Amino acid sequence: MRYSSDHKAATRERLLDKAGALAKRQGFASTGVDAMVAEAGLTAGAFYVHFGSKSDMLKALVEKEMAASMAMFGDADSPLADAELAQRIAAYLSIAHVEHPEAGCCLPTLTAEVARADDGVRDSFEQAIQQMQARLCLLMDGDSDRAWSVLAQAVGAVMLARAMRGKPARKAVLDGVKRQILPKR
Amino acid sequence: MRYSSDHKAATRERLLDKAGALAKRQGFASTGVDAMVAEAGLTAGAFYVHFGSKSDMLKALVEKEMAASMAMFGDADSPLADAELAQRIAAYLSIAHVEHPEAGCCLPTLTAEVARADDGVRDSFEQAIQQMQARLCLLMDGDSDRAWSVLAQAVGAVMLARAMRGKPARKAVLDGVKRQILPKR
DNA sequence: GTCTATAGAGGGATAGAC
DNA sequence: GTCTATCCCTCTATAGAC
C-alpha cells in the first residue's frame, strides 16, 4: 500500500484532536464535517475513510477526550496527593478554563449533545464517566457521594459561567463553588 | 386590523411554549424554525412576525423558561419552607425529570447553547441566573456559596444523567448528589 | 397575521479519478 | 488515503398573495 497504517492512524488522531477543539468551542452538531477536516488539512472525502459517520466520530471523540481528562488525575498506580487534587479542581474552576473551552474538558460543552446522541455514544460516555467517578472516589477516601457531587458541580459551574456574559458574574459562580468544594482551613 | 393584538400575543406565547418543549428535548440549534412553527399549528412565514430572528427567540425562550423555573421556588413575598425546598430539589434530581426534558428545567439542555449565543442572549441568561441564585440564597439562610453550589450541582447532575444510557447509572449520579445536598438527619 | 414559494447557503454522505 | 465533484436534503430568512 502507498500509505503505511501508521500514517492512517496518525491522521485519524490529528483529525480527532482538531475536531475535538472545534467541537468544544462551537459544539459538535453545529460544526460541519468540512470544517473539521479542513482544520486537519484534509478534504471532506477523507473523513469517511476514518469514520463511518459523523456520529461514529462523536463516540471516538468522547473516548479520547475523556481519557485525556482522566489523565489529569494521575494514573491508577500513582494517585494524586490531596494538595494536587485541590490544585486541579481550582484550575478546572478558573476563568482561563471558562474562556478557553477548546483547550479544556469536553464535559461542559459535549454532555448536552451526548444526551441526544445514539445508544453507542451514550454507552461510551457512561463508561467513561463511571471510570472518572471511581478515580475521584479513590482520591476522596472512598466517599462516593462526594465524588459524584464534585463532578456534577464542576461541570455545571463551568457551563453556567460560560453562558454568562460578564466576567464578574462568571467569577461569582466559579469562586462560590470553589469555596464550597475546597473549604478554607 | 383583522386580528386583535391579544391574538398576536397569545400566538407568540403558544409558539414559545411549543418551541421551548422542542428545544429542551432536541436542543435549540438542531430544531428548525419549521418544526417549531408546525408544533404551534403555523407555517414558517409566521415566525418572523413574532421574532426578528431565531436568535431573538432564544432570548425570549430563556427569559420565559427561567421565569417558570423561578416560580417553582415561590415568589419573593412568601418564601418556601425548608421541607418544601428539599422536596423541590428531590424532584429536580429525579428520574422523571431526566426522562422528560421537555417538561422540565431549560438549564441542562440550553445552557451549553447559550454559551455560544450572542451577547443579548447571554445578558438575559446572566440576569436570570443571578435572580435564581439570589432566591436560592434567601432560602438557604444567606449562604451565597451554597446557593451557587446547589445550582451548579443540580444542573450538572441532570445533564450528566441524561447523557448516560442505563437507568442504574443515572440513579447513581442523581442519588449521590441528592444525598450530598440533602443529608439525612 | 398567516400562507405559499423560493432564494441562497450549508449540511452529511457517496463516486470515481489519482 | 486523499481529492474533486456532486447529490439531495435541511436550514434561515424574505417576498408577495390573501
Side-chain angles (χ1 to χ4, degrees):
Chain A
M1 53 182 124
R2 290 171 53 197
Y3 294 84
S4 67
S5 65
D6 260 17
H7 171 80
K8 174 165 180 179
T11 302
R12 188 189 138 105
E13 291 311 298
R14 192 176 75 247
L15 191 44
L16 274 178
D17 277 343
K18 301 294 191 179
L22 275 181
K24 286 189 285 183
R25 185 145 44 86
Q26 317 174 349
F28 182 75
S30 44
T31 302
V33 169
D34 275 359
M36 292 172 178
V37 289
E39 198 79 4
L42 300 173
T43 55
F47 182 91
Y48 295 91
V49 172
H50 298 284
F51 304 99
S53 68
K54 206 190 169 194
S55 176
D56 274 5
M57 170 181 248
L58 179 54
K59 188 168 138 72
L61 213 47
V62 164
E63 287 163 2
K64 180 166 180 142
E65 291 282 341
M66 290 297 290
S69 290
M70 284 278 289
M72 299 279 196
F73 297 114
D75 43 51
D77 299 329
S78 61
L80 251 50
D82 281 5
E84 287 170 323
L85 177 60
Q87 185 208 329
R88 299 290 198 286
I89 293 176
Y92 197 101
L93 295 168
S94 70
I95 286 281
H97 190 203
V98 165
E99 288 178 348
H100 299 288
E102 71 281 357
C105 174
C106 67
L107 291 174
T109 323
L110 293 188
T111 305
E113 305 208 59
V114 171
R116 300 188 292 269
D118 58 36
D119 290 351
V121 178
R122 303 221 313 289
D123 272 336
S124 288
F125 182 87
E126 178 177 321
Q127 199 183 338
I129 286 288
Q130 278 175 330
Q131 283 173 13
M132 172 151 287
Q133 188 266 350
R135 176 74 54 92
L136 273 175
C137 188
L138 268 182
L139 296 175
M140 291 174 173
D141 306 316
D143 189 338
S144 174
D145 289 351
R146 184 161 144 76
W148 281 122
S149 164
V150 167
L151 184 54
Q153 224 165 142
V155 173
V158 169
M159 183 175 68
L160 286 170
R162 285 188 180 149
M164 305 211 271
R165 189 180 175 198
K167 202 158 179 168
R170 289 175 161 185
K171 277 193 79 67
V173 202
L174 296 175
D175 291 347
V177 169
K178 218 181 299 181
R179 281 189 298 262
Q180 198 72 9
I181 298 185
L182 307 169
K184 278 277 182 295
R185 275 151 285 217
Chain B
M1 52 183 126
R2 289 169 55 195
Y3 295 84
S4 69
S5 63
D6 261 18
H7 171 80
K8 174 166 179 178
T11 302
R12 189 190 138 105
E13 290 311 298
R14 193 175 74 248
L15 190 45
L16 273 177
D17 277 344
K18 302 294 191 179
L22 275 181
K24 286 187 286 183
R25 187 145 44 84
Q26 317 173 350
F28 182 76
S30 44
T31 302
V33 169
D34 275 358
M36 292 171 178
V37 289
E39 199 80 1
L42 300 173
T43 53
F47 183 91
Y48 295 91
V49 172
H50 299 283
F51 303 98
S53 68
K54 207 190 168 193
S55 176
D56 274 5
M57 171 182 246
L58 179 54
K59 186 167 140 72
L61 212 48
V62 164
E63 286 162 3
K64 181 167 177 140
E65 291 283 340
M66 289 299 288
S69 290
M70 283 278 289
M72 298 280 197
F73 298 115
D75 44 50
D77 300 331
S78 61
L80 252 50
D82 281 5
E84 288 171 321
L85 176 61
Q87 185 208 329
R88 298 290 197 286
I89 292 175
Y92 197 100
L93 295 168
S94 69
I95 285 281
H97 190 204
V98 166
E99 288 179 348
H100 299 289
E102 71 282 356
C105 174
C106 67
L107 291 174
T109 323
L110 293 188
T111 305
E113 305 207 59
V114 171
R116 298 188 292 270
D118 58 37
D119 289 351
V121 178
R122 302 220 315 287
D123 271 336
S124 288
F125 182 87
E126 177 176 321
Q127 199 184 338
I129 287 288
Q130 277 176 329
Q131 282 172 13
M132 171 151 288
Q133 188 266 351
R135 177 73 54 90
L136 273 175
C137 188
L138 268 182
L139 296 174
M140 292 175 171
D141 306 316
D143 189 338
S144 174
D145 290 350
R146 185 163 143 76
W148 281 122
S149 164
V150 167
L151 184 54
Q153 222 164 143
V155 173
V158 169
M159 183 174 69
L160 287 171
R162 285 187 181 150
M164 305 210 271
R165 189 179 174 198
K167 202 158 178 168
R170 290 175 161 184
K171 278 193 79 68
V173 202
L174 296 175
D175 292 347
V177 169
K178 217 181 300 182
R179 281 190 298 262
Q180 198 72 10
I181 299 186
L182 307 168
K184 277 278 181 295
R185 277 153 284 219

